Amino acid sequence: MTSLPMIQIASDAPIGSAPLRRAAMPPRHLADLDLPGRQAVIAELGEPAFRAKQISTHYFGRLVRDPERMTDLPAASRDRITEALLPNLLTPVREVACDDGATRKALWRLHDGALVESVLMGYPDRVTVCISSQAGCGMACPFCATGQAGLTRNLSTAEIVDQAVHLAGVAASGAVAGSPPRLSHVVFMGMGEPLANYSRVVAAVRRLCAPAPEGLGLSQRHVTVSTVGLVPAMRRLAEEGLSVTLALSLHAPDDELRDELVPVNQRWKVAEVLDAAWHYAERTGRRVSIEYAMIRDVNDQPWRADLLGRLLAGRLTHVNLIPLNPTPGSRWDASPKPVEREFVRRLRAAGVSTTVRDTRGRDIDGACGQLAAATVAP
Ligand code: SAH
């Protein structure tokens, strides 16, 4: 294969091409704007500037979006301000829980009918949400459910942030038994390729990490951006002055196989994508996560573990092996446990820090690569 016929990019694309279609972006929301931007909107409404902080405190600080509960705002201002800055972006279609309530998947309908999913995962010491950056995905990885349906559109900054804010509210309500009530971690591992929606994703990261009331006040170190390996965007991200974790979905150490598993590899090869990862590690001091789905008899051979070990040895990195979640109609299955253990053993023998990811949410189709809201009948 020498061309990229299946890969679709909407905008902000490092691959130069015209947008596929006019995206139906949602109405403006306060999470699209920094605090001065919100103050400008407030001024246009003829309201005093401090109302920007008040409305931001409700949304980001108290996780309140219902105007009735904003009792520090005069009734007339409440409606005007919420109309201008807090339009409803995500309508819950369905929420399902599993793992004794510690994992919850939310399916949202966007203003134009597009569907996206997010997952909330509670652990004894932290609460993580996995959020989507696009409706659908254009990267066409054949083992990923989202990749099969193609790209619908980029999400706006606020549509991305609002997933985390909604689920932070669920956590704060005490719904996740045995976990802290405060959302602490966000991973961009839901639907979509975050770096193909670059500027909105970076703005979303800034909003998630800005202290309240400007943002949600998460630590940048607790945010992970996962990518198929869009090299120019990875290099650009290294210059943003952010200390978020970069996760690279490698899935194969050799170009022949990676060309198939991660089709964008036809454009940026393993050596190039790893160079960009090491550049990111150098610029930020952050350990890069290498994601590797273990697919039976496809990428799990001992020689591939050894090759991967040689490529990663001595680098600031950590390997996350993900047991493949078979997707409907897929010809692939997860590697058997003994094969997985041998793969781990060889990587560790090469001096590479390696763990196997737990598979939360499998029975609600909320696990890695199973988020395919477009195919779910609401
Ligand atoms: N587009 C980004 C984020 C998407 S999903 C990326 O590719 O990194 C997050 C991770 O789940 C990626 O590593 C992706 O390759 C992996 N994944 C997708 N489908 C999977 C499946 N069926 N089983 C296991 N992991 C999967």
Side-chain angles (χ1 to χ4, degrees):
M1 284 190 282
T2 51
S3 64
L4 292 174
M6 288 144 59
I7 294 176
Q8 304 165 294
I9 303 276
S11 67
D12 292 316
I15 300 176
S17 63
L20 279 180
R21 65 185 90 175
R22 264 283 128 233
M25 294 308 269
R28 175 197 59 201
H29 182 282
L30 70 81
D32 289 312
L33 307 167
D34 58 11
L35 202 49
R38 293 170 214 165
Q39 281 159 346
V41 174
I42 291 285
E44 276 168 35
L45 295 175
E47 295 279 344
F50 63 84
R51 299 248 186 271
K53 269 198 178 157
Q54 282 180 307
I55 188 81
S56 301
T57 299
H58 283 298
Y59 177 76
F60 280 120
R62 300 180 55 219
L63 309 174
V64 162
R65 57 182 80 219
D66 172 8
E68 298 290 305
R69 293 180 58 199
M70 301 178 183
T71 48
D72 58 337
L73 294 171
S77 307
R78 264 184 233 170
D79 291 342
R80 216 171 333 149
I81 294 173
T82 47
E83 222 166 85
L85 283 172
L86 281 180
N88 180 43
L89 299 178
L90 308 178
T91 304
V93 176
R94 199 163 60 184
E95 214 193 301
V96 276
C98 73
D99 302 327
D100 286 331
T103 306
R104 286 157 182 273
K105 182 177 75 164
L107 171 64
W108 315 103
R109 188 188 310 284
L110 310 180
H111 79 109
D112 57 351
L115 297 170
V116 295
E117 290 180 332
S118 331
V119 185
L120 174 67
M121 289 162 286
Y123 301 88
D125 59 334
R126 68 198 151 96
V127 174
T128 300
V129 298
C130 174
I131 58 176
S132 298
S133 56
Q134 300 181 309
C137 185
M139 296 298 123
C141 302
F143 57 89
C144 172
T146 309
Q148 306 319 298
L151 177 65
T152 302
R153 70 167 167 88
N154 282 325
L155 301 192
S156 70
T157 296
E159 284 172 324
I160 297 168
V161 171
D162 202 34
Q163 297 168 57
V165 174
H166 263 291
L167 294 179
V170 172
S173 74
V176 195
S179 294
R182 208 178 144 72
L183 171 67
S184 52
H185 291 68
V186 168
V187 298
F188 283 80
M189 293 189 180
M191 301 171 78
E193 166 50 41
L195 297 189
N197 186 14
Y198 187 90
S199 59
R200 296 181 195 89
V201 164
V202 167
V205 169
R206 293 196 194 284
R207 226 81 339 124
L208 291 170
C209 298
E214 178 147 20
L216 199 55
L218 300 182
S219 156
Q220 288 182 7
R221 291 161 177 268
H222 292 176
V223 173
T224 299
V225 174
S226 182
T227 181
V228 288
L230 304 183
V231 164
M234 290 166 73
R235 292 191 170 271
R236 193 173 159 198
L237 189 66
E239 307 307 318
E240 296 285 350
L242 293 170
S243 38
V244 299
T245 298
L246 182 67
L248 170 62
S249 298
L250 195 65
H251 303 313
D254 54 304
D255 287 320
E256 192 182 347
L257 180 56
R258 194 166 191 268
D259 279 351
E260 185 187 351
L261 295 182
V262 186
V264 80
N265 195 71
Q266 295 163 43
R267 177 72 176 257
W268 293 291
K269 298 295 174 191
V270 170
E272 247 179 305
V273 90
L274 286 177
D275 265 358
W278 310 145
H279 174 74
Y280 186 87
E282 211 164 274
R283 293 288 292 159
T284 61
R286 306 287 299 150
R287 195 168 78 157
V288 174
S289 271
I290 300 292
E291 309 295 300
Y292 199 103
M294 293 291 287
I295 314 177
R296 182 202 288 256
D297 297 333
V298 172
N299 66 351
D300 60 359
Q301 303 81 356
W303 73 265
R304 283 202 161 92
D306 293 342
L307 176 55
L308 185 61
R310 285 199 297 279
L311 292 176
L312 306 188
R315 301 293 185 170
L316 189 58
T317 189
H318 174 87
V319 175
N320 238 320
L321 297 177
I322 317 169
L324 181 83
N325 286 307
T327 55
S330 159
R331 59 189 186 280
W332 288 319
D333 202 355
S335 303
K337 284 293 155 191
V339 172
E340 184 185 279
R341 277 194 292 272
E342 178 62 9
F343 207 89
V344 172
R345 194 190 65 75
R346 284 175 184 257
L347 283 172
R348 289 187 180 152
V352 178
S353 144
T354 305
T355 48
V356 178
R357 178 175 309 163
D358 75 347
T359 49
R360 286 290 187 96
R362 279 200 157 194
D363 44 341
I364 52 170
D365 290 344
C368 305
Q370 292 184 326
L371 301 184
T375 64
V376 176

